[in-house]
Amino acid sequence: MPNQTLHLTGFSFAELFQHQGLYRLDEKFLHELKAINASLYADLMAYRDDSREFSAIEVSELLLAVAPILEDFLIELFNIQDAALKTQTQTLGQNPVSAFKKFFVLRRAKKELQKLDQFPAFSELNNWLNEKISESSLHTSDHELGTSLLATQYMAHPEKFTLEIEKLTQWCVHALATPDAKHIVKNWTSFRIPERLDYQHLVSIDAKEYRYRDGFALTDPRFNSREAQDEVNYCIYCHDHDGDFCSKGFPVKKNDPSLGFKKNPLDVTLTGCPLEEKISEMNILKRDGFTIAALAMVMVDNPMCPATGHRICNDCMKACIYQKQEPVNVPQIETRVLVDVLNLPWGVEIYDLLTRFNPLRKKQWIMKPYNGSKIMIAGMGPAGFTLAHHLLLEGFAVVGFDGLKIEPLPEKYVQEPIYDFASLKESLDSRLMAGFGGVAEYGITVRWDKNFLKLIYISLMRRPYFQVFGSTRFGGTVKINDAWELGFDHFVIAVGAGLPKALPIPGSLAPGMRQANDFLMALQLGNAAKNDSLTNLQVRLPAVIIGGGLTGVDTATEIQAYYITQVEKTLSRYEKLVSVLGENNIREKMDVVSREILDEFISHGKAVRAERERANRASVKPNFIKLIHQWGGVSIIYRRTMQESPAYINNHEELAKALEEGVFYLESLQPIRAELNAFGFVETLICHKKIKIDENTWETSLDEIRIPARAILVATGTKPNIAYEFEHRGTFARVGSQYQHFEEIDGELSLAHGVANNKDPLFGPFTSYHNHDKRVSLIGDTHPVFHGSVVKAIASGLRTYPKIVEILKNKLNYSADVSEYLHFREHMREIFSSKIPK
């Protein structure tokens, strides 16, 4: 059993949550850096204090030189030398696979495919390869690694192994082209060849292999170490010539940024990572086995990285230098870097410390002391919690609140160091919704590991000047003027896009019609999918989702999974009730419609039970897709082609994975009405077929297409949540369905004109609210520049905090009385905490 008592070298655990302790930690690091490399120390200090101008390339070189030293410093601080060495060895151990792939598979074998008929038979070459591996000292059960290590020996001395290199190349040619050989390397990373991009065929309509899903556990386990390291080695590392477009955006002309960014064939502007994360630098560090250093590099610009990465964002991939073939899968690498650190002893604490102390940052390398000012944030989604983090680093006291419930964390996570990330993890199909994280908690499905949210929640709750309260509605429980009366100096609106767009067709309010985002919210917030939940969320098949965005795609996959759970629960509970009350006593109390639905669910529940029994006997996964299809299936319909849908344009991977789960896709259909059955429930969706005449012209056919639908879910987009203005007219200036946004210049608000993208420095984070020195900011989906994705919401927090600091700079007092804050904190707890009177 490993020692799970934290022994920090020279520090106590509590010290690392206070400014003075972090200051001393930074001083110790700088002292060690100076002793190792005085010139590097001088450069870092000049970088911090702006005493010398650094080019982008010089910044990269500086941080890449400092990062490994920071890794060694943290390894010593946490006393994890053995575990860190093991992780580094495991990471470096994957590089031979990538080297084998580059030299033998991509450079040689691909070019020799036309000579296949001139080569010896595969069986002969395969016997030769197995003998060579056996004769060597490369004893491993991992055939791919053994082959790769042999290949690296040959590559190291090409003049000595000319014949062997030729034979191994021939073996690789067979592995690319011959069925028996392809079967052997089917799961080898080294034989996954980047494919050319056909932007009009990024998604295969006919899924060749279904992914059999069962329930609500994590549906995507992410890349393993080898797969991620393969992507690391696929990167060209463009930062050394300022060509890292994945981070900075793909310019129309490299030396003339005024021309803006290029667009890809889908008309997507290639702005790159909204956070300008140092991706190329991260990849180099990970390639060389410096995993902690790689995470520190990520966290220079993205300390909230648990909320980004795989299955969350892909702006970096779209702007990758590889535009004609598959890009580097940066999100997978980023998440692997995070996970590899979290899997170290005290990995959670290393991540958490890097949110408050990171010498690689030009700003906010340590948390500042309390500055006497207080800020209230409405909305604890990605935008809200990111801004809270940055404001806390600047010394502000922050109170966040959310309209939805937020469960308190176990006190031990806040007070005690966490040895093992695994101790925090919960299966997604059984975890209690904590509520923290807004859309990241309720709006994202189990394609993404929500255990990552807990890292951010823990990190914020450990800050001495942070509080958060749930079940507190902006505009109801809390109004703008309330914030000033309570002593706050600034107010931030981060309430997201919460107003759905209605579908103005006949029958749209009938039973069976539902807003897609309401379904996702009820499914997750109400825990309807859990076996012990009494939440009633009734869905029937066939189901149709109207809308081509990612909300529609998520809804389609979750309905399929939920339907199986629903009918199983219904059957099980019905059988228990019958055993106690008798069947007649139950059924005679039900109306005709209820009996019809009950009989349908019981029949389907029995089919699900039979399929489980069949799969169990055959030791395979149950095939619920076949049953779902028999019952009418789940279909997405969109008014244009799939290629023109927001899901395809923004993240085609999600659409492809939905089709792999058996979802149908019907394109070029315009819903005109919902037809109801004799009981007033939806039964059929009536659509008109739309015909594309040319690139910009569509005509609507008058022929009616009837789609069976017992459930219709509307996912036609959402609007920014500006409900406050409806309830309190005249508070904020609006432009249509959005708040107008402003810059503050010399104490006056100036309209933010012509904002091109989320990297525009004059994006305008302030509302029109102008009450003496009081201002109100808007961030995230509420802001027209940052709407549409989690990573843009996070970027809004990163880009807004300096502007808030600027307008409040004359109020900041870093010698403020902490006892005054403690009184304020207790007052906040009193007025926002619910109590049950005795």
Side-chain angles (χ1 to χ4, degrees):
M1 183 74 178
N3 185 351
Q4 296 188 13
T5 302
L6 179 60
H7 295 289
L8 295 168
T9 303
F11 293 83
S12 70
F13 181 62
E15 273 187 287
L16 301 185
F17 296 91
Q18 301 292 336
H19 166 73
Q20 285 301 325
L22 293 171
Y23 178 81
R24 190 164 73 83
L25 185 67
D26 186 57
E27 287 292 296
K28 182 179 180 183
F29 171 75
L30 293 175
H31 177 76
E32 293 189 11
L33 176 64
K34 188 174 184 179
I36 293 168
N37 189 326
S39 175
L40 192 58
Y41 163 81
D43 286 345
L44 181 63
M45 299 309 292
Y47 178 61
R48 283 186 180 184
D49 61 22
D50 280 325
S51 61
R52 179 159 69 84
E53 187 173 339
F54 287 76
S55 69
I57 295 173
E58 288 174 329
V59 170
S60 294
E61 291 172 346
L62 170 64
L63 299 188
L64 281 170
V66 173
I69 298 173
L70 174 60
E71 172 164 318
D72 288 342
F73 178 79
L74 292 175
I75 289 171
E76 182 179 352
L77 176 68
F78 284 93
N79 285 291
I80 55 168
Q81 287 85 350
D82 291 345
L85 179 60
K86 182 178 178 181
T87 296
Q88 184 178 57
T89 302
Q90 289 172 340
T91 299
L92 294 174
Q94 306 301 336
N95 285 340
V97 177
S98 298
F100 163 64
K101 177 178 181 176
K102 282 185 179 180
F103 184 81
F104 280 94
V105 181
L106 298 178
R107 292 181 187 172
R108 294 180 62 87
K110 278 189 71 178
K111 296 177 182 178
E112 301 272 310
L113 280 170
Q114 69 278 5
K115 299 180 182 178
L116 178 62
D117 57 354
Q118 302 173 26
F119 296 155
F122 175 69
S123 56
E124 179 183 333
L125 291 167
N126 198 45
N127 289 335
W128 167 82
L129 176 60
N130 290 334
E131 288 175 5
K132 286 295 181 182
I133 293 175
S134 296
E135 292 171 0
S136 71
S137 58
L138 309 172
H139 301 298
T140 173
S141 58
D142 185 337
H143 192 24
E144 181 179 21
L145 180 60
T147 302
S148 300
L149 291 171
L150 186 67
T152 56
Q153 290 183 0
Y154 296 161
M155 288 185 287
H157 303 284
E159 70 290 342
K160 180 180 177 182
F161 295 107
T162 304
L163 179 61
E164 287 82 356
I165 288 174
E166 183 59 32
K167 280 197 168 187
L168 186 52
T169 300
Q170 293 172 358
W171 184 92
C172 291
V173 171
H174 275 285
L176 288 172
T178 306
D180 288 347
K182 288 170 73 173
H183 178 73
I184 289 176
V185 301
K186 180 181 178 181
N187 297 316
W188 287 26
T189 301
S190 49
F191 281 85
R192 184 197 172 277
I193 311 299
E195 297 181 359
R196 288 191 65 81
L197 291 177
D198 180 348
Y199 284 90
Q200 292 304 311
H201 298 91
L202 296 174
V203 175
S204 173
I205 297 294
D206 300 315
K208 295 179 175 60
E209 291 187 13
Y210 285 131
R211 289 186 300 116
Y212 298 131
R213 177 175 169 183
D214 184 6
F216 290 86
L218 182 65
T219 61
D220 192 335
R222 305 181 293 270
F223 277 0
N224 60 33
S225 295
R226 179 167 301 170
E227 291 167 322
Q229 202 68 6
D230 182 56
E231 294 294 324
V232 165
N233 283 283
Y234 180 39
C235 179
I236 298 178
Y237 317 118
C238 304
H239 67 273
D240 63 358
H241 52 277
D242 202 18
D244 44 345
F245 304 150
C246 55
S247 173
K248 299 168 185 173
F250 205 121
V252 171
K253 190 173 182 180
K254 184 176 178 181
N255 297 321
D256 190 355
S258 65
L259 297 176
F261 298 112
K262 284 185 179 180
K263 293 187 176 184
N264 71 10
L266 295 176
D267 202 36
V268 175
T269 303
L270 306 178
T271 54
C273 175
L275 298 161
E276 295 196 349
E277 193 175 287
K278 291 172 175 53
I279 294 166
S280 178
E281 296 91 334
M282 168 190 73
N283 288 346
I284 277 195
L285 290 166
K286 185 61 173 168
R287 178 198 68 185
D288 295 341
F290 297 112
T291 296
I292 297 175
L295 180 62
M297 190 69 75
V298 170
M299 293 177 66
V300 169
D301 308 290
N302 185 13
M304 301 291 100
C305 59
T308 60
H310 179 49
R311 300 302 291 269
I312 296 293
C313 52
N314 65 0
D315 302 76
C316 51
M317 293 177 69
K318 291 183 185 301
C320 178
I321 194 67
Y322 292 118
Q323 288 290 302
K324 294 183 179 180
Q325 66 188 47
E326 289 181 288
V328 178
N329 198 321
V330 177
Q332 287 274 22
I333 299 171
E334 179 193 300
T335 301
R336 186 76 245 168
V337 166
L338 173 65
V339 169
D340 284 349
V341 171
L342 293 177
N343 286 339
L344 288 168
W346 311 113
V348 173
E349 301 305 336
I350 293 171
Y351 161 75
D352 191 23
L353 178 59
L354 285 170
T355 65
R356 305 183 305 280
F357 160 77
N358 189 341
L360 303 185
R361 294 191 195 117
K362 183 176 176 62
K363 298 178 180 179
Q364 296 191 328
W365 56 86
I366 61 168
M367 182 174 68
K368 294 178 181 177
Y370 175 53
N371 65 30
S373 291
K374 305 169 186 70
I375 295 179
M376 177 172 268
I377 302 176
M380 278 288 102
F385 65 59
T386 300
L387 182 60
H389 158 79
H390 288 291
L391 292 173
L392 289 164
L393 286 186
E394 290 294 330
F396 291 94
V398 176
V399 172
F401 68 90
D402 202 283
L404 299 173
K405 63 105 178 179
I406 298 179
E407 297 287 344
L409 278 170
E411 196 64 23
K412 65 178 182 178
Y413 293 156
V414 179
Q415 300 294 337
E416 301 171 13
I418 298 166
Y419 174 79
D420 187 359
F421 178 55
S423 67
L424 295 180
K425 292 169 70 173
E426 301 170 277
S427 178
L428 300 191
D429 56 359
S430 60
R431 72 184 279 268
L432 176 69
M433 283 284 175
F436 177 85
V439 68
E441 174 77 302
Y442 298 121
I444 298 174
T445 65
V446 292
R447 57 184 161 86
W448 177 65
D449 192 345
K450 296 184 185 183
N451 285 295
F452 290 143
L453 265 183
K454 196 179 291 184
L455 293 168
I456 295 172
Y457 192 11
I458 290 171
S459 181
L460 288 177
M461 291 307 297
R462 286 173 164 184
R463 311 290 176 88
Y465 302 100
F466 178 72
Q467 289 173 285
V468 65
F469 301 99
S471 303
T472 305
R473 193 175 76 83
F474 176 48
T477 315
V478 175
K479 297 179 280 294
I480 297 294
N481 288 339
D482 295 334
W484 314 142
E485 292 173 6
L486 290 170
F488 288 94
D489 299 287
H490 191 78
F491 193 94
V492 181
I493 301 171
V495 293
L499 300 181
K501 294 179 182 177
L503 187 66
I505 63 172
S508 62
L509 297 179
M513 289 284 288
R514 188 191 293 267
Q515 289 288 332
N517 56 352
D518 286 347
F519 166 78
L520 291 174
M521 181 74 75
L523 178 67
Q524 302 194 69
L525 176 60
N527 293 308
K530 292 183 171 60
N531 288 327
D532 59 354
S533 171
L534 295 177
T535 301
N536 180 26
L537 181 57
Q538 182 176 285
V539 176
R540 300 178 73 184
L541 296 181
V544 172
I545 290 85
I546 301 173
L550 291 172
T551 298
V553 173
D554 272 349
T555 302
T557 59
E558 299 317 286
I559 281 181
Q560 289 203 154
Y562 173 66
Y563 190 80
I564 298 299
T565 299
Q566 174 188 235
V567 297
E568 282 190 298
K569 284 169 64 175
T570 301
L571 174 60
S572 174
R573 291 177 179 181
Y574 180 72
E575 289 175 338
K576 290 176 182 177
L577 283 172
V578 166
S579 69
V580 175
L581 302 176
E583 190 165 16
N584 290 336
N585 287 333
I586 296 171
R587 299 180 70 87
E588 68 183 10
K589 294 181 175 65
M590 304 175 72
D591 58 30
V592 175
V593 177
S594 298
R595 282 198 294 270
E596 176 188 300
I597 296 172
L598 177 63
D599 289 342
E600 182 179 290
F601 284 5
I602 288 173
S603 171
H604 292 176
K606 289 179 178 178
V608 169
R609 180 181 291 171
E611 173 58 20
R612 284 200 185 280
E613 291 170 353
R614 180 205 66 81
N616 188 51
R617 289 193 300 271
S619 298
V620 296
K621 291 183 178 180
N623 179 2
F624 297 133
I625 295 174
K626 182 179 179 180
L627 294 178
I628 293 286
H629 286 178
Q630 286 175 2
W631 301 328
V634 177
S635 303
I636 298 171
I637 72 167
Y638 185 59
R639 58 190 172 84
R640 295 194 173 187
T641 65
M642 178 193 287
Q643 288 80 357
E644 295 169 286
S645 71
Y648 186 96
I649 291 169
N650 295 322
N651 198 335
H652 69 275
E653 179 188 22
E654 299 304 326
L655 194 50
K657 289 186 177 294
L659 298 183
E660 289 172 10
E661 289 187 23
V663 171
F664 297 124
Y665 198 99
L666 308 175
E667 57 185 10
S668 307
L669 294 176
Q670 182 69 50
I672 59 170
R673 70 178 183 276
E675 201 170 78
L676 313 183
N677 64 14
F679 303 104
F681 286 65
V682 296
E683 187 173 59
T684 308
L685 181 64
I686 311 299
C687 299
H688 281 159
K689 180 72 175 176
K690 300 195 75 175
I691 302 169
K692 191 170 187 178
I693 305 303
D694 56 40
E695 191 65 29
N696 299 308
T697 307
W698 288 77
E699 286 187 359
T700 303
S701 166
L702 296 180
D703 294 336
E704 291 188 352
I705 295 176
R706 303 173 62 83
I707 304 173
R710 296 291 184 90
I712 301 173
L713 292 100
V714 180
T716 51
T718 55
K719 301 175 184 178
N721 186 351
I722 58 170
Y724 191 95
E725 179 59 23
F726 298 148
E727 299 170 355
H728 307 278
R729 296 284 183 180
T731 306
F732 305 113
R734 286 191 294 141
V735 177
S737 62
Q738 296 178 324
Y739 291 138
Q740 182 60 270
H741 53 116
F742 298 80
E743 282 287 327
E744 174 148 328
I745 300 174
D746 297 328
E748 296 296 326
L749 293 173
S750 176
L751 199 61
H753 290 289
V755 177
N757 56 68
N758 58 70
K759 293 188 175 180
D760 193 318
L762 299 178
F763 61 87
F766 302 109
T767 67
S768 61
Y769 190 92
H770 196 298
N771 183 358
H772 300 292
D773 61 343
K774 296 293 193 289
R775 298 288 184 271
V776 176
S777 302
L778 70 160
I779 59 174
D781 266 325
T782 317
H783 195 292
V785 176
F786 295 99
H787 72 282
S789 76
V790 167
V791 71
K792 287 180 183 176
I794 288 174
S796 73
L798 172 69
R799 300 196 189 288
T800 297
Y801 92 80
K803 302 202 176 200
I804 294 175
V805 173
E806 178 63 24
I807 66 169
L808 294 176
K809 63 183 179 182
N810 294 328
K811 287 187 173 184
L812 306 186
N813 174 18
Y814 288 105
S815 300
D817 183 3
V818 174
S819 63
E820 173 271 330
Y821 169 74
L822 295 177
H823 176 76
F824 168 84
R825 181 182 181 89
E826 181 61 22
H827 183 52
M828 292 300 102
R829 190 187 67 78
E830 282 288 324
I831 63 175
F832 284 109
S833 296
S834 300
K835 304 175 188 68
I836 301 175
K838 295 181 180 179

